[in-house]
Amino acid sequence: MNDERTISGQTTMIWQDQARSVVRPIVRVMVIFSVGMSAALFLVWATSCSDDDWLLLRREPLAALVLAACDAWPFFAGSFVVVLVMLVGWYARGFSRVPEANRRIHYEATKHGLTTRDAANFALTVPWTSVVRVYNSDHTMQMVLVAGASRLVFWRAFATEDRAQVLNWARQVKETEPQPTRGS
């Protein structure tokens, strides 16, 4: 295939696209929230427990943790649900405020990078050299960038025969770069 060509595609984002793009951030926040909330609830339990509970904690730590979990699970579960609903609502509100015209995305892929442009002419160019990792599925290609951000490409925007070329461009940069040696 000719590596000098430009592959173009266009699609309109829908609610399913928004859901696919926010699953990872929501899961990441919920894991961090769960760990933090577990530690906080255990500390609250530990500072408010009786002398008998402290003795139980020293003699049978696992039984004491089960006791703490039994005391705190309703608050933990309620807080988890509230934070999850707030996050989903936040992302849904943000997506619903994007005008329909700005949901139309135009892609231009070359051997140097990918440019994403919306109807308001806001453009974002991602050079392939900044792509650290690529996750490919039937619907999307997720690119993890050097800065830690990630970008989604919706495959339905491209013709079937062009998808393989775009995926090759996204993956080839990291495969052809020399791997650093130890001590350098």
Side-chain angles (χ1 to χ4, degrees), residues 79-156:
S79 300
F80 187 89
V81 168
V82 166
V83 170
L84 182 62
V85 168
M86 286 176 54
L87 280 173
V88 169
W90 176 267
Y91 283 116
R93 180 178 176 264
F95 184 74
S96 69
R97 296 180 74 182
V98 174
E100 185 69 32
N102 291 16
R103 292 181 190 176
R104 283 192 298 273
I105 301 171
H106 180 76
Y107 295 107
E108 289 181 4
T110 66
K111 72 175 185 175
H112 303 291
L114 177 77
T115 300
T116 306
R117 186 180 318 275
D118 68 7
N121 211 23
F122 175 78
L124 175 68
T125 300
V126 176
W128 299 127
T129 55
S130 68
V131 176
V132 176
R133 195 171 298 114
V134 176
Y135 299 105
N136 184 34
S137 74
D138 293 339
H139 303 287
T140 61
M141 172 179 67
Q142 181 183 11
M143 301 177 295
V144 179
L145 307 179
V146 172
S150 66
R151 296 286 176 249
L152 281 180
V153 175
F154 302 106
W155 282 132
R156 71 174 176 276

Side-chain angles (χ1 to χ4, degrees), residues 38 41-46 48-76:
S38 297
L41 288 176
F42 180 75
L43 287 174
V44 167
W45 176 83
S48 64
C49 66
S50 67
D51 290 338
D52 292 338
D53 291 338
W54 272 110
L55 292 174
L56 177 65
L57 180 63
R58 294 199 60 177
R59 280 192 319 262
E60 298 179 41
L62 188 57
L65 289 175
V66 169
L67 182 62
C70 289
D71 288 345
W73 80 265
F75 184 75
F76 178 82

Side-chain angles (χ1 to χ4, degrees), residues 15-35:
W15 282 98
Q16 288 88 345
D17 299 331
Q18 173 67 4
R20 284 186 185 104
S21 65
V22 300
V23 166
R24 279 185 193 263
I26 287 176
V27 167
R28 185 179 308 126
V29 168
M30 295 311 295
V31 166
I32 292 169
F33 173 79
S34 297
V35 169

Side-chain angles (χ1 to χ4, degrees), residues 149-181:
S150 66
R151 296 286 176 249
L152 281 180
V153 175
F154 302 106
W155 282 132
R156 71 174 176 276
F158 296 100
T160 307
E161 59 274 4
D162 293 335
R163 294 176 187 174
Q165 181 61 47
V166 173
L167 187 59
N168 284 339
W169 283 335
R171 287 183 171 161
Q172 77 182 6
V173 174
K174 293 303 168 193
E175 292 173 2
T176 60
E177 285 183 359
Q179 296 298 319
T181 57

